[in-house]
Amino acid sequence: MGLMVRADLGLEPWSVLNQGIAEHTGLTIGTVTIVSGALILLLWIPLRQRVGLGTVSNVIVLGLVMDATMALVPASSSFAVRVPVLAAAVALNGAATGLYISARFGPGPRDGLMTGLHLRTGRPIRLVRTCIEVTVLAAGFALGGSVGVGTVVYALAIGPMAQFFLRLFAIKGLDEPSRVVTGKSAPREQPAAAPETVTGCGS
């Protein structure tokens, strides 16, 4: 995320919002990322999502590393530098997604919001995610966040890359991954006479 800011070619939706808020508050984008992550966790309460080590780590570490990355990586005006930085940023984000989900220590606050709404509303996870990110992107753009070709590249590439890295980093011997994570629909509930055939979504 810090590399995407330095590439200055457009950010992913949540960073667009966080950057917009940062510009109006004087806080660093990393600090806003931490605060917004903590506030999103409050929305987990009515959704009955469970907080895990991965959830807490995501809230704290994400913003700290983002600010540290921006402190270490200088801005550049050269497209010859910015385009590879953007590509590296998207690839690293895909790899990070595969790693932390495969670890099974709980989703990040934004992913948990998405899966919680999916489970509570019964709406397809793609629709839920799209609605959330379009709303966040519009709000961030209105606040002055950076939207550009990087935003489009991220939107098109992150799904396939996350799926690739989820398979690559899958830990053998664990139960079948959550249907929410794999994008499969939960099976219809079977009659009470055959309870052993009933399965539900993982969390």
Side-chain angles (χ1 to χ4, degrees):
M1 292 162 60
L3 290 176
M4 287 191 74
V5 174
R6 283 293 179 242
D8 195 24
L9 292 170
L11 305 176
E12 48 84 21
W14 283 102
S15 289
V16 173
L17 177 61
N18 291 334
Q19 186 183 55
I21 294 173
E23 290 183 0
H24 288 274
T25 60
L27 300 172
T28 67
I29 189 172
T31 300
V32 173
T33 299
I34 293 173
V35 174
S36 66
L39 292 175
I40 291 169
L41 286 183
L42 296 178
L43 298 177
W44 282 33
I45 297 173
L47 296 175
R48 299 178 184 176
Q49 293 288 88
R50 282 188 263 179
V51 175
L53 175 62
T55 309
V56 177
S57 299
N58 185 291
V59 171
I60 299 173
V61 175
L62 206 62
L64 295 178
V65 174
M66 190 174 187
D67 278 347
T69 299
M70 293 177 62
L72 294 172
V73 179
S76 174
S77 60
S78 171
F79 275 99
V81 174
R82 292 160 62 196
V83 170
V85 168
L86 173 65
V90 176
L92 285 171
N93 202 309
T97 300
L99 281 167
Y100 98 82
I101 292 178
S102 296
R104 310 277 187 87
F105 281 111
R110 297 155 190 86
D111 289 331
L113 176 63
M114 172 188 66
T115 56
L117 288 171
H118 161 68
L119 292 171
R120 295 300 161 194
T121 65
R123 301 295 182 183
I125 198 163
R126 292 176 184 175
L127 175 62
V128 172
R129 177 156 191 157
T130 298
C131 290
I132 291 174
E133 299 211 351
V134 167
T135 301
V136 166
L137 183 63
F141 181 71
L143 290 171
S146 175
V147 176
V149 65
T151 309
V152 178
V153 170
Y154 182 91
L156 295 176
I158 193 62
M161 295 196 71
Q163 184 175 14
F164 169 77
F165 284 112
L166 277 168
R167 292 174 178 172
L168 181 65
F169 297 129
I171 302 173
K172 295 181 180 179
L174 293 182
D175 295 335
E176 181 183 354
S178 166
R179 295 179 184 275
V180 171
V181 172
T182 58
K184 298 178 181 178
S185 298
R188 294 180 181 275
E189 186 173 337
Q190 301 297 319
E196 67 276 8
T197 63
V198 177
T199 56
C201 289
S203 58

